[in-house]
């Protein structure tokens, strides 16, 4: 039986959590106009969001689209300050739980992980597989084409339900997930700009990570995802 999230919807929607999320959200953003405008009536905005959440009247807004080069071109979709504040509130509650179920060698969008640690782990694996560079070994480098744009909403929500039995949390997550879709299908895609998207894609790919480990491939090599 899978472990279940012990937190309740009220832990996400509480004024205390929203305020804590705000303090994290504004780091590096205090000079941005939309953030300054929101902060002018901060407590009114916090209580309004809290009320909408508690009364089940919250509805995620739309997105502002723009492109960046990182280094390849990427389509970014930016939500309103109000919605991004909620993303942080959700993340604060869900991330510590889900991070415990991920494999140790998943390095993307995780605290105390990242590219440099992934490279160091790769060198460690390469040393083991090559017997300290005395035999040839191979590494499979692959990528999922337009990964965020092809996340299936129904599959993601089904996975989340395996770990979360609070229906109000599930409905809130559905609200966020279904606020965005790709051009080809309304039930496909997550926006690159959402903090919650970083968590959701790791939850989604955890199924693949666990499958690879279950199939017994690691004794023959090692599995590292970045």
């Amino acid at each position: 039986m899978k472990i279940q999230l012990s937190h309740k919807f009220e832990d996400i929607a509480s004024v205390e959590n929203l305020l804590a999320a705000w303090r994290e959200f504004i780091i590096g953003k205090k000079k941005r106009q939309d953030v300054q405008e929101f902060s002018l009536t901060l407590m009114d905005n916090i209580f309004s969001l809290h009320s909408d959440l508690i009364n089940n009247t919250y509805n995620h807004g739309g997105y502002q689209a723009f492109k960046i080069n990182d280094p390849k071109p990427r389509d970014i979709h930016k939500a309103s300050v109000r919605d991004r504040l909620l993303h942080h509130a959700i993340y604060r509650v869900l991330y510590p739980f889900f991070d415990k179920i991920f494999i140790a060698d998943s390095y993307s969008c995780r605290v105390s992980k990242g590219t440099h640690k992934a490279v160091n782990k790769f060198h460690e694996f390469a040393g083991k597989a090559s017997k300290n560079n005395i035999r040839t070994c191979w590494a499979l480098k692959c990528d999922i084409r337009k990964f965020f744009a092809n996340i299936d909403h129904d599959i993601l929500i089904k996975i989340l339900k395996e770990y979360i039995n609070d229906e109000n949390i599930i409905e809130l997550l559905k609200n966020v997930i279904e606020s965005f879709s790709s051009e080809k299908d309304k039930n496909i895609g997550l926006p690159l700009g959402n903090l919650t998207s970083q968590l959701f894609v790791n939850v989604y790919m955890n199924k693949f990570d666990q499958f690879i480990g279950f199939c017994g491939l690691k004794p023959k090599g090692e599995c590292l995802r970045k």
Side-chain angles (χ1 to χ4, degrees):
M1 180 179 179
K2 289 185 173 64
I3 59 172
Q4 298 288 306
L5 178 73
S6 60
H7 288 287
K8 299 301 181 183
F9 175 78
E10 291 73 20
D11 296 321
I12 295 175
S14 71
V15 172
E16 292 78 10
N17 188 51
L18 294 176
L19 283 170
W22 172 257
R23 291 191 289 270
E24 296 173 1
F25 168 72
I26 62 173
I27 296 174
K29 303 183 183 74
K30 292 181 180 180
K31 294 184 179 180
R32 297 181 184 177
Q33 182 177 345
D34 55 351
V35 175
Q36 291 180 344
E37 291 174 352
F38 191 89
S39 65
L40 287 175
T41 53
L42 177 60
M43 291 312 300
D44 288 342
N45 289 326
I46 293 287
F47 282 119
S48 174
L49 177 55
H50 169 72
S51 177
D52 283 350
L53 291 169
I54 294 299
N55 295 315
N56 295 318
T57 56
Y58 170 80
N59 192 40
H60 198 290
Y63 293 86
Q64 175 188 352
F66 58 93
K67 296 181 181 291
I68 64 170
N69 292 300
D70 182 35
K72 64 181 181 180
R74 296 183 185 276
D75 294 320
I76 304 297
H77 293 82
K78 178 182 175 183
S80 69
V81 172
R82 188 176 197 257
D83 291 329
R84 282 182 285 153
L85 169 58
L86 177 62
H87 300 165
H88 276 259
I90 293 171
Y91 187 87
R92 294 188 76 256
V93 172
L94 296 192
Y95 175 81
F97 168 78
F98 278 108
D99 189 62
K100 295 176 183 178
I101 73 172
F102 300 149
I103 65 169
D105 296 319
S106 171
Y107 286 86
S108 180
C109 301
R110 294 180 68 190
V111 176
S112 300
K113 296 286 186 175
T115 301
H116 290 95
K117 289 193 175 182
V119 170
N120 292 338
K121 181 59 72 171
F122 167 76
H123 287 304
E124 179 184 328
F125 287 164
K128 290 181 181 179
S130 65
K131 302 295 184 182
N132 291 323
N133 300 315
I134 63 174
R135 74 177 188 183
T136 301
C137 60
W138 301 90
L140 174 63
K141 179 182 178 181
C142 55
D143 188 25
I144 300 176
R145 185 173 179 269
K146 295 184 177 181
F147 178 45
F148 278 73
N150 286 290
I151 296 293
D152 187 295
H153 293 178
D154 292 336
I155 293 176
L156 173 58
I157 293 168
K158 180 180 179 181
I159 295 172
L160 291 168
K161 284 182 176 180
E162 294 178 10
Y163 298 94
I164 302 171
N165 56 22
D166 188 313
E167 287 297 327
N168 288 323
I169 293 180
I170 291 297
E171 287 304 312
L172 178 60
L173 299 184
K174 287 175 64 176
N175 197 329
V176 174
I177 292 167
E178 294 172 356
S179 68
F180 177 86
S181 62
S182 65
E183 296 179 356
K184 63 180 182 180
D185 191 323
K186 69 177 183 178
N187 291 318
I188 299 292
L190 292 177
L192 276 170
N194 284 5
L195 177 63
T196 48
S197 295
Q198 299 176 17
L199 175 60
F200 289 154
V201 296
N202 273 341
V203 173
Y204 198 87
M205 280 300 293
N206 182 59
K207 285 287 188 178
F208 174 78
D209 296 337
Q210 300 292 347
F211 172 76
I212 292 297
F214 180 77
C215 287
L217 296 185
K218 289 188 71 174
K220 303 176 184 177
E222 296 290 348
C223 175
L224 181 149
R225 180 166 68 81
K226 172 65 181 77

